[in-house]
Amino acid sequence: MILRLEVKNWCNLESFSTTFDKGCNLVIGPNFSGKSSLLNAIFFAITGKLPNELEPKDMIQKGKNEMTVQLDFVAKDGDTYRIRRYVKLSKTARQSISTHLYPLVNDIEQEEIASGNEATEKILECLNTEPMLFKRSIFMTEGDVYRILTKRERGLREEIYKVLGIERIHAIAKIADKLKKELKKEKNALEKRLELGELGEFEKEDTGTIEEKLNEIDNRIAKIKEKINKLTNEKSELNEKLDAYERFNKIEKDLEMLANKMKALTKGIPGEGNYKERLESYYNSRKEKLDNLKNEITSLEADIIAIEHRLKDLRDDLERLSAETSICPTCERPLTRQEAERIISKKKENISKLEKELSKKKEDLIEKRKIKKDLENTVSDLSWKLSELDRALKSARELNEEKSKLTAEIGGQSKSGLIARLSEIDNELDDLEAEKSNLLEERGRLNAKLEFTKLDYDKIEQDIRNLEHRVYILELFIKACKSTAERVSKELIRKIGDDVANVWKRLHGGIWQVEISDNLQPILKRDASEYLPMQLSGAEKMILFIALRAFTAKYLGNPGFLIFDEPFEHLDPENRVFLKDFLLSLSNDGIEQIIISSCDEKLLEEKWNKIIELKK
Amino acid sequence: MEQLSIDSIFRKVFLELIAEEKKKSKKSSKKRKYPDVYTLHDNEIEKMIEFFKKCSGEETQEELLDTLRRVIDDFEVRGQELVQP
């Protein structure tokens, strides 16, 4: 039973304290007067949490940085306690909560008996309830009834599972089952090890003898490995020789190609000696001829220019001599017409001679220039051939050098001989690998044998027994969880249903039955008619819901009081009286105290054990 | 007044189940190889009940599993007598 509540800086209640009596306590006041805050303070004092999503720090009055909630209550065993929770806000808005639980003797606070989470656990233990049950069956926030009763099947089932704590049991059983599977796996692994030893695959043997055998096998494996290495090296050498053969053949082909190339480069080149000598000699002769021709062309061009000058002079003289008064071009005396005509005739003869000579020289020049061009092409072609020949000769020299080296490398062994030896080595290696593999297998078997010989059977057997023991406990635990869930959901639901049916009988008369269907939907039955919660009026829903809660509390975790925020909302005077009488009748079921909030002043006309009036 | 908490129901169910198992094993004609394995000790029973009680239903699966593992890790078979089948 709740005796007294004192709060400081809690929401809109700056400094407030009140006592509660046995029976029905009405907390009344207009909207925003702090009715719900007061009920939430009781919830916070008992559980350390809030019934909604808010955090305790959110309840600190605006402008303040700390608050206190203190609650005095009577435990199920009759002892009286005081719980004090103090919430402080840091500068960074982080909350720190301190909780202290004290026994009270004649209203005097005794030495603290628990603090922090331990204090919360102790309070719930004193009140014989659990956090989830407290939230779901003892304490009803405003609007809970509609939130739950208007849910569809699945939602309702989950909700009732939560109310009854079945969801929690399922979660615990699931975890236990997970751990059981893990342990079984571990146990099976150990059993497998033991089984191997017990199946007789290995007979127990002295560890010294096994170790001796293992050493012998190791020595044999080492020798085989040595042989394998030797043969592998030889194989590698032989393969290198085979490669040399391949390269030798390729070089010979390359040399042949080079010889053909050199032959092609010197094709049609006259002379004697090797490719290079012939090509060089021919190139030099062509080059010399070209140089000479260039000189001849230069001389010819000079001659042509001189003849052209000379012709110009003669034509100038001829022009002067053709005038009426002519002057001798050499002695510059006046000439008679006859003298002039004779000189003109001579000059014309010279001009004719020179023109013929010029014409011939020009033809000669054209011819020589043509020859020069051909020669230049020939010399250029020969120069390219010479460089190509040099390159080919250089390559041939290098290839010949490599060929000599390869010949030494091969060392006179025939290719077929090499291939035959390689095949022999491969066969030998296959045999050795097979032998090694057998020995390794044997070593593995001996090692396993050694391990099992050294194995502490007793220790493994003890571990297996411990694991089996734990698995067995978990199996029983899971079974107990399932049975508990079943018992809670079947038996208690039936009992709750019977009690609710009685309330319904009082409300409507006649014989009513309340069945909880497989999907946990409460169904009200009278004669042949069925009523689902959804079909009920608002007042009926409220009464049904409060009855469900009250009887859930009766059978599960009843702390001796129930708290309802605005349960009379939408009820007419007749139903209000009915609900109030019903709640008061719960004292026969161990619920001696009801705390109810309301803003309906008409309720003041009725009789209450205690009225706590709040003002804005 | 008939009023039980879930924890009390669980305790009752668990103890009943253990007693039932004990009876069954006594009646059973087949002897188990390691009978001690199937003997629960009082402190083990109490620890399991305590574990059930302490789960508020708001822990994560990992937290629950860790707690249960810690509880059960201490459980060992006592007595080494082997009964030959």
Side-chain angles (χ1 to χ4, degrees):
Chain A
M1 192 172 79
I2 310 284
L3 294 175
R4 189 172 175 275
L5 173 75
E6 188 178 325
V7 295
K8 198 178 167 196
N9 298 338
W10 174 269
C11 295
N12 48 351
L13 302 170
E14 189 169 1
S15 182
F16 178 85
S17 72
T18 185
T19 55
F20 297 89
D21 284 355
K22 198 173 173 182
C24 256
N25 294 261
L26 176 70
V27 181
I28 194 153
N31 290 335
F32 313 117
S33 58
K35 299 185 297 298
S36 299
S37 302
L38 189 147
L39 300 188
N40 286 345
I42 298 174
F43 189 95
F44 174 65
I46 292 169
T47 63
K49 288 176 182 170
L50 287 164
N52 41 38
E53 300 298 314
L54 293 174
E55 287 189 61
K57 67 176 182 181
D58 300 324
M59 307 308 279
I60 299 176
Q61 205 169 45
K62 294 276 173 274
K64 303 283 167 44
N65 61 1
E66 57 182 14
M67 68 177 184
T68 314
V69 175
Q70 184 178 293
L71 186 84
D72 295 351
F73 64 93
V74 183
K76 289 295 284 181
D77 59 5
D79 288 341
T80 313
Y81 294 92
R82 171 171 291 163
I83 177 82
R84 189 182 298 129
R85 294 190 192 266
Y86 173 73
V87 182
K88 191 171 166 55
L89 212 55
S90 73
K91 282 179 185 171
T92 53
R94 291 183 68 174
Q95 65 178 17
S96 62
I97 306 173
S98 61
T99 305
H100 308 277
L101 182 68
Y102 311 91
L104 292 178
V105 177
N106 298 325
D107 282 344
I108 298 165
E109 199 175 286
Q110 305 297 304
E111 203 179 324
E112 180 185 295
I113 53 166
S115 63
N117 289 339
E118 201 190 327
T120 305
E121 277 175 26
K122 181 84 182 157
I123 299 161
L124 292 165
E125 196 184 308
C126 288
L127 292 171
N128 192 28
T129 190
E130 299 150 23
M132 195 60 82
L133 268 174
F134 189 82
K135 190 176 174 182
R136 304 277 170 188
S137 63
I138 317 299
F139 190 94
M140 184 189 90
T141 57
E142 195 181 352
D144 258 3
V145 62
Y146 297 105
R147 188 172 58 78
I148 295 170
L149 284 182
T150 53
K151 276 179 193 276
R152 293 201 175 274
E153 269 179 27
R154 180 176 284 184
L156 185 67
R157 184 191 332 203
E158 282 168 4
E159 195 62 38
I160 292 178
Y161 270 167
K162 274 180 192 166
V163 169
L164 300 178
I166 293 168
E167 202 182 54
R168 187 195 101 182
I169 304 173
H170 286 161
I172 298 171
K174 196 176 162 191
I175 289 303
D177 192 53
K178 196 174 177 187
L179 185 59
K180 186 190 89 178
K181 281 175 184 158
E182 276 181 24
L183 296 180
K184 263 193 167 176
K185 212 172 162 187
E186 205 179 316
K187 190 191 122 212
N188 289 342
L190 283 180
E191 277 177 345
K192 218 170 189 180
R193 290 185 70 192
L194 259 193
E195 269 171 31
L196 277 174
E198 288 181 347
L199 280 171
E201 189 183 336
F202 305 117
E203 280 175 19
K204 278 202 174 185
E205 202 173 347
D206 176 40
T207 53
T209 317
I210 300 170
E211 276 164 356
E212 235 173 66
K213 283 181 184 172
L214 272 169
N215 279 339
E216 196 188 316
I217 286 175
D218 281 343
N219 287 338
R220 282 171 68 191
I221 289 173
K223 275 179 190 166
I224 288 171
K225 276 184 181 171
E226 206 179 304
K227 275 185 191 171
I228 288 173
N229 280 342
K230 211 173 161 186
L231 285 170
T232 311
N233 287 340
E234 191 184 343
K235 188 179 168 181
S236 164
E237 278 172 23
L238 290 175
N239 275 326
E240 274 175 23
K241 281 185 181 176
L242 266 183
D243 281 349
Y245 255 115
E246 292 300 319
R247 277 185 283 138
F248 186 88
N249 289 341
K250 192 175 175 303
I251 286 170
E252 283 205 320
K253 275 183 190 164
D254 289 348
L255 280 170
E256 199 179 319
M257 274 167 67
L258 282 172
N260 288 338
K261 188 181 176 181
M262 286 190 275
K263 207 171 179 180
L265 284 171
T266 52
K267 191 178 178 184
I269 304 293
E272 288 176 358
N274 60 30
Y275 295 133
K276 171 108 178 166
E277 284 167 357
R278 268 162 60 208
L279 197 59
E280 255 179 358
S281 157
Y282 189 59
Y283 169 78
N284 289 337
S285 73
R286 292 295 92 188
K287 184 91 173 48
E288 196 181 342
K289 194 174 177 184
L290 179 64
D291 290 344
N292 290 340
L293 195 63
K294 279 179 185 170
N295 289 337
E296 281 172 28
I297 287 169
T298 310
S299 159
L300 207 54
E301 282 167 345
D303 286 353
I304 288 168
I305 291 165
I307 291 169
E308 278 172 346
H309 279 290
R310 180 79 189 119
L311 269 171
K312 190 177 177 291
D313 289 347
L314 283 170
R315 283 184 185 123
D316 288 348
D317 288 350
L318 210 60
E319 202 176 320
R320 277 195 298 274
L321 287 168
S322 301
E324 283 206 14
T325 50
S326 0
I327 292 168
C328 176
T330 48
C331 61
E332 293 182 348
R333 71 175 172 86
L335 294 171
T336 63
R337 198 66 239 162
Q338 281 177 325
E339 282 173 331
E341 284 295 329
R342 204 176 57 244
I343 294 169
I344 285 169
S345 166
K346 204 170 180 182
K347 293 264 182 203
K348 278 184 177 174
E349 199 180 318
N350 281 345
I351 284 170
S352 171
K353 249 189 210 171
L354 281 171
E355 276 176 346
K356 275 181 191 167
E357 193 182 343
L358 182 64
S359 170
K360 195 173 173 289
K361 284 204 184 277
K362 277 186 175 174
E363 276 171 18
D364 206 11
L365 182 64
I366 289 165
E367 183 63 25
K368 284 195 187 310
R369 275 179 176 161
K370 199 180 161 194
I371 294 167
K372 182 193 154 208
K373 201 176 174 187
D374 288 345
L375 264 174
E376 275 173 346
N377 286 341
T378 306
V379 167
S380 164
D381 183 46
L382 285 169
S383 168
W384 173 81
K385 279 181 176 171
L386 259 176
S387 68
E388 279 297 298
L389 188 70
D390 278 342
R391 252 202 301 276
L393 282 167
K394 194 183 169 200
S395 297
R397 265 198 304 278
E398 284 168 0
L399 286 172
N400 276 321
E401 271 171 31
E402 200 180 342
K403 196 175 154 185
S404 310
K405 277 182 196 166
L406 287 172
T407 311
E409 206 175 297
I410 291 163
Q413 253 179 309
S414 72
K415 193 176 174 180
S416 58
L418 286 174
I419 291 168
R421 178 61 192 141
L422 269 172
S423 169
E424 267 174 36
I425 289 173
D426 280 341
N427 289 338
E428 278 178 57
L429 280 173
D430 283 348
D431 292 345
L432 286 169
E433 286 293 349
E435 198 181 343
K436 191 178 98 178
S437 174
N438 288 337
L439 285 170
L440 284 172
E441 207 175 297
E442 176 65 13
R443 189 169 67 171
R445 217 177 66 82
L446 280 172
N447 269 328
K449 191 174 180 179
L450 188 65
E451 195 189 330
F452 282 112
T453 307
K454 284 178 178 174
L455 206 63
D456 186 348
Y457 284 94
D458 293 341
K459 168 86 177 64
I460 291 177
E461 276 190 1
Q462 183 60 40
D463 287 348
I464 290 171
R465 278 203 295 273
N466 285 339
L467 285 167
E468 178 66 32
H469 180 61
R470 288 168 202 162
V471 167
Y472 177 66
I473 292 173
L474 285 173
E475 273 169 0
L476 289 183
F477 180 78
I478 295 162
K479 262 191 199 172
C481 283
K482 286 178 182 169
S483 297
T484 306
E486 206 174 311
R487 202 173 285 189
V488 170
S489 63
K490 287 269 163 47
E491 289 182 22
L492 289 181
I493 283 176
R494 186 182 51 75
K495 282 177 186 168
I496 292 166
D498 290 347
D499 283 354
V500 174
N502 285 331
V503 174
W504 218 246
K505 206 187 298 174
R506 274 165 27 209
L507 183 69
H508 290 299
I511 297 179
W512 286 85
Q513 270 185 304
V514 177
E515 281 181 9
I516 311 287
S517 68
D518 287 344
N519 54 29
L520 296 171
Q521 180 91 357
I523 303 162
L524 296 150
K525 283 185 178 176
R526 189 184 179 186
D527 302 328
S529 306
E530 282 188 2
Y531 301 89
L532 293 170
M534 292 294 285
Q535 295 170 296
L536 302 175
S537 71
E540 285 173 326
K541 274 182 196 158
M542 182 64 87
I543 290 168
L544 173 68
F545 177 69
I546 289 179
L548 274 171
R549 286 222 157 184
F551 292 122
T552 307
K554 174 185 163 184
Y555 291 109
L556 292 164
N558 169 22
F561 59 86
L562 292 174
I563 300 167
F564 297 111
D565 196 359
E566 298 282 4
F568 295 118
E569 209 182 1
H570 308 308
L571 296 189
D572 61 20
E574 198 184 328
N575 281 320
R576 275 207 304 265
V577 171
F578 177 84
L579 183 58
K580 193 185 155 200
D581 288 346
F582 159 64
L583 292 173
L584 285 170
S585 73
L586 289 172
S587 63
N588 298 327
D589 294 315
I591 301 165
E592 293 174 324
Q593 188 184 44
I594 314 284
I595 301 171
I596 287 164
S597 78
S598 179
C599 59
D600 187 356
E601 287 190 353
K602 283 179 190 165
L603 286 172
L604 289 169
E605 293 164 13
E606 288 166 26
K607 200 181 167 193
W608 300 91
N609 298 85
K610 169 98 185 179
I611 295 174
I612 300 156
E613 276 194 85
L614 296 174
K615 292 194 171 70
K616 264 192 192 176
Chain B
M1 182 199 63
E2 189 183 358
Q3 200 262 307
L4 283 169
S5 73
I6 289 182
D7 295 343
S8 317
I9 295 172
F10 175 78
R11 184 186 186 89
K12 200 177 160 201
V13 169
F14 193 37
L15 293 174
E16 277 171 9
L17 200 63
I18 292 163
E20 207 179 303
E21 284 286 310
K22 212 171 179 180
K23 261 189 213 170
K24 265 191 211 168
S25 67
K26 273 184 186 171
K27 280 183 186 173
S28 171
S29 55
K30 284 182 186 172
K31 290 276 178 193
R32 278 167 160 164
K33 191 176 176 186
Y34 308 119
D36 296 329
V37 163
Y38 306 99
T39 307
L40 269 69
H41 308 286
D42 289 347
N43 71 321
E44 292 171 343
I45 296 166
E46 285 308 320
K47 275 183 180 175
M48 291 309 284
I49 292 171
E50 194 60 26
F51 166 74
F52 183 88
K53 210 170 150 185
K54 282 201 169 175
C55 300
S56 68
E58 291 180 0
E59 304 91 341
T60 63
Q61 284 200 2
E62 286 73 23
E63 283 168 350
L64 268 181
L65 191 64
D66 275 357
T67 315
L68 182 57
R69 201 176 273 134
R70 274 199 298 275
V71 170
I72 214 154
D73 268 356
D74 294 338
F75 295 0
E76 280 182 357
V77 176
R78 293 172 207 171
Q80 307 293 324
E81 304 84 34
L82 265 177
V83 174
Q84 292 303 325

